[in-house]
Amino acid sequence: MTDPGRPLTVFTARRFVTMEPARPEATAVAVLDGRIAGVGSLDDLAPWTDAHPHTVDRTFEDKVVLPGFVDPHLHPLLPAVLTQMPFVAPDGWHLPNATYPGVVGHGAFIARLRVLLAGHDPATGPFFTWGYHPLFHGETLRPELDAAVSADVPVVLWHRSFHELIANTAALEWMGVTSVDDVPEDVRSQVDLAGGRFYERGLAAAFPALAGLFFRPERLAGGFASFVEMVHRGGVTTVADMGTGLYTPVATEAELIRQALERDDVPFRTVLTPITTAYWRAGTSPEAALAECDALHRRSGRRVFFDRHVKLMADGAFFSQLMRLCEPGYIDGHEGEWIVPTDVTDGFAETFWRAGYQLHIHCNGDEGARYAVGLLQRLLDGHPRFDHRFSLEHLGFATEEQNRRIAALGAVVSGQVYYVHVLADAYARHGLGADRAHQMCRFGSLVDKGVPLALHSDCTMAPIEPLTLAWVAATRRTMGGTEITPTERLTVEQALRAVTIDAAWVLRLEDQVGSIRAGKKADFVVLEQDPFDVGAEGLRDIPVWGTVFEGTPYPLAEERPRTPVG
């Protein structure tokens, strides 16, 4: 029951874009105890203001307000770790403490490494950078790092995909991985010591040393502070960690995230999604993993919580061309990787499916998509479920036929559209050819078939900037300025739905967030311009004023000085 004595706040704005078809816009929204009480005009809300003590907050009178953005797939620990090091990537990055311009070309890449290394303090540990990609920077492996960068200081290049590391000899010694005997037997096929390369599951061989450095409390606290600022600056009020347990055991990682984000000054909520890879690595059976996930769900907090989601892994990284492709495969004949054996994934999927969990499967190539769609078909045949929302995560490549099956089987897609922007031009020249490279991320086709589509950052695969993701989806513009496959563009409306109400649907939170209507959480993003006025071309340039989280405004702090690097 509503207590008429409780105070009410009415926010006014130039325009509220509600993402609700029954009432698509408004000029006033009433908020009571963190939830929306009414939507309309001040006159429409008179029954509420007559019944409650209230204030009218006109802070947003000249601004445009949308539902708080939803990023349904990122990894809080990933930016918390990677923002501890300089970025040397083909695309530029604007981070809380520094601006890193894009670097392209082998000579320019090596030169940047040398400049950054000259300013590195060895007392802080080895020299790390993130963002290396051989198609943009030339192949740079252990011998060249030794000869051209440093033979004495440990140097590690973290690949733009995050799924690979390249280490020089000194770094291998620092890691304690100098011979094949130092590599766990089950990951040796994905470690190349001669090249200093660790990829996919092979990262496990390097991780103990990495965790000892980057998980130091003082370092991790600073990394999480950067992550919080990145989320807030993007206008995001709900995120999902789509892979809790990526670094450490699921319960341990959940506690790290809870300590960092279950705070009143964090203006967003975080949904935790256990990754079955963590249980497989530990030798935990699917049944025991399910029991732990059920127990973790019961210990959820207000801002950081489990909600009966689970993450599965199929094929390898898109940024590394390790995704699995159907015929004709890669032009150079190499094959992609399976991150986890498919029979292992089958076993975890069956157990969690029968328990009613929502399954999210990382898949990138069209062979990965074929496996994921086939898995869903087998699950439905064996144990039918309605409104299961089996989610294909990333979906860099899928054929028209696969898209039709995705629709027919009732799946949803959480797509990584930033692949188009960074990789389409390079993959047209190397590995795939223009035909298939230009057909990556065929999300317009999915929406046309009625498939609910979300766009995610998978930060740091893309910045936590939903308006930038919407811009890529609506323009399909590459870094080189090419506009590819215009038939796969989203409209502005579709792109905004993919970062609001449809993203909420993919997380099964559509009754709580994603649109502005009575009964939902009072989560808003406040913009300085109207997305429908600036159109597709202007989406990524719209300034974000700040957010409202459960009825409390959180303006962006005055920008900290950022060190330009380069």
Side-chain angles (χ1 to χ4, degrees):
M1 297 290 292
T2 300
D3 177 1
R6 286 183 295 167
L8 185 83
T9 300
V10 177
F11 294 100
T12 62
R14 174 159 63 93
R15 184 183 182 211
F16 285 91
V17 179
T18 68
M19 309 310 291
E20 284 281 335
R23 185 155 206 166
E25 60 182 272
T27 55
V29 172
V31 174
L32 187 67
D33 292 340
R35 289 189 177 269
I36 298 167
V39 180
S41 66
L42 283 174
D43 287 343
D44 294 332
L45 299 177
W48 281 100
T49 56
D50 289 346
H52 288 262
H54 65 276
T55 57
V56 177
D57 189 327
R58 300 184 183 274
T59 304
F60 314 140
E61 197 89 321
D62 62 344
K63 305 186 189 306
V64 175
V65 180
L66 271 69
F69 292 139
V70 177
D71 192 327
H73 184 136
L74 48 68
H75 306 281
L77 270 172
L78 200 157
V81 166
L82 294 183
T83 55
Q84 297 179 36
M85 64 189 72
F87 283 21
V88 187
D91 48 329
W93 282 75
H94 189 52
L95 299 179
N97 60 346
T99 294
Y100 297 103
V103 177
V104 175
H106 184 63
F109 179 69
I110 295 297
R112 179 67 60 81
L113 293 180
R114 290 170 174 164
V115 168
L116 291 170
L117 180 60
H120 174 69
D121 180 1
T124 63
F127 172 68
F128 279 79
T129 69
W130 173 84
Y132 162 71
H133 197 296
L135 293 187
F136 297 92
H137 302 138
E139 188 165 282
T140 308
L141 298 175
R142 172 185 173 183
E144 184 166 11
L145 287 180
D146 286 346
V149 182
S150 179
D152 304 315
V153 177
V155 173
V156 180
L157 309 182
W158 215 314
H159 194 286
R160 179 66 177 73
S161 70
F162 185 73
H163 288 230
E164 295 188 44
L165 292 175
I166 311 296
N168 71 351
T169 300
L172 292 178
E173 293 169 353
W174 171 79
M175 293 175 187
V177 183
T178 57
S179 76
V180 69
D181 293 335
D182 299 320
V183 180
E185 188 172 352
D186 62 327
V187 303
R188 287 176 184 172
S189 65
Q190 294 177 327
V191 174
D192 167 23
L193 285 179
R197 182 172 175 243
F198 302 76
Y199 57 99
E200 298 300 357
R201 286 184 291 124
L203 289 172
F207 186 74
L210 304 181
L213 176 67
F214 292 112
F215 281 20
R216 292 175 184 170
E218 69 281 3
R219 294 188 68 141
L220 202 56
F224 270 121
S226 292
F227 169 70
V228 170
E229 187 170 340
M230 292 163 73
V231 174
H232 187 208
R233 199 172 66 202
V236 177
T237 53
T238 299
V239 305
D241 176 12
M242 195 51 64
T244 310
L246 187 65
Y247 298 88
T248 66
V250 173
T252 303
E253 194 161 307
E255 181 60 19
L256 283 173
I257 295 170
R258 188 196 66 76
Q259 290 176 8
L261 303 181
E262 188 67 69
R263 298 160 46 104
D264 289 343
D265 59 347
V266 173
F268 57 88
R269 64 186 62 79
T270 302
V271 183
L272 300 177
T273 306
I275 188 168
T276 56
T277 312
Y279 292 115
W280 173 59
R281 287 196 307 255
T284 304
S285 70
E287 295 74 18
L290 173 63
E292 179 178 290
C293 289
D294 284 344
L296 290 169
H297 176 62
R298 291 190 292 271
R299 297 203 298 269
S300 290
R302 176 191 166 206
R303 273 178 165 79
V304 179
F305 56 92
F306 292 88
D307 197 24
R308 293 177 64 81
H309 301 263
V310 71
K311 174 78 173 296
L312 308 168
M313 301 295 283
D315 58 328
F318 201 91
F319 270 95
S320 298
Q321 289 199 359
L322 292 176
M323 63 279 196
R324 300 281 305 194
L325 296 180
C326 297
E327 290 293 337
Y330 292 98
I331 293 171
D332 64 4
H334 84 272
E335 293 187 359
E337 299 283 335
W338 294 109
I339 297 177
V340 175
T342 54
D343 61 329
V344 172
T345 301
D346 289 349
F348 278 98
E350 173 80 16
T351 298
F352 280 87
W353 174 270
R354 287 181 173 270
Y357 273 65
Q358 184 184 1
L359 274 55
H360 303 258
I361 186 164
H362 162 116
C363 59
N364 270 314
D366 53 2
E367 188 180 3
R370 182 171 67 185
Y371 164 70
V373 172
L375 173 61
L376 174 57
Q377 182 73 71
R378 294 191 297 276
L379 293 169
L380 285 167
D381 289 346
H383 186 77
R385 281 176 54 184
F386 296 97
D387 194 22
H388 51 78
R389 303 194 203 179
F390 182 98
S391 177
L392 287 83
E393 303 285 329
H394 309 320
L395 200 66
F397 281 114
T399 65
E400 173 68 10
E401 296 76 20
Q402 288 170 343
N403 279 354
R404 291 182 70 177
R405 289 195 69 198
I406 289 167
L409 294 175
V412 300
V413 170
S414 181
Q416 175 45 284
V417 75
Y418 206 64
Y419 293 158
V420 168
H421 182 62
V422 179
L423 297 174
D425 288 339
Y427 284 13
R429 296 188 299 270
H430 305 282
L432 303 178
D435 174 24
R436 284 181 298 156
H438 288 184
Q439 292 189 57
M440 64 175 64
C441 305
R442 299 183 66 241
F443 298 153
S445 297
L446 284 169
V447 172
D448 288 346
K449 293 172 177 57
V451 176
L453 171 73
L455 299 176
H456 64 246
S457 70
D458 193 19
C459 186
T460 55
M461 298 309 101
I464 308 174
E465 296 172 5
L467 287 170
T468 296
L469 300 178
W471 172 81
V472 176
T475 65
R476 291 185 65 86
R477 182 82 50 76
T478 70
M479 285 200 309
T482 308
E483 295 181 11
I484 64 168
T485 324
T487 53
E488 294 296 336
R489 291 174 182 156
L490 302 186
T491 67
V492 171
E493 171 83 15
Q494 290 167 340
L496 291 175
R497 287 185 61 89
V499 295
T500 55
I501 187 58
D502 289 347
W505 180 270
V506 165
L507 291 178
R508 299 184 308 187
L509 291 174
E510 73 281 357
D511 61 337
Q512 298 291 317
V513 301
S515 67
I516 299 174
R517 70 151 171 83
K520 289 197 176 186
K521 301 278 191 183
D523 292 355
F524 313 132
V525 56
V526 183
L527 306 178
E528 300 286 359
Q529 295 173 293
D530 191 322
F532 293 94
D533 288 345
V534 303
E537 291 291 346
L539 287 174
R540 67 173 175 175
D541 297 321
I542 297 174
V544 174
W545 175 91
T547 59
V548 176
F549 179 69
E550 296 186 358
T552 300
Y554 289 84
L556 293 182
E558 190 172 322
E559 286 216 33
R560 287 192 274 148
R562 286 172 171 78
T563 304
V565 179

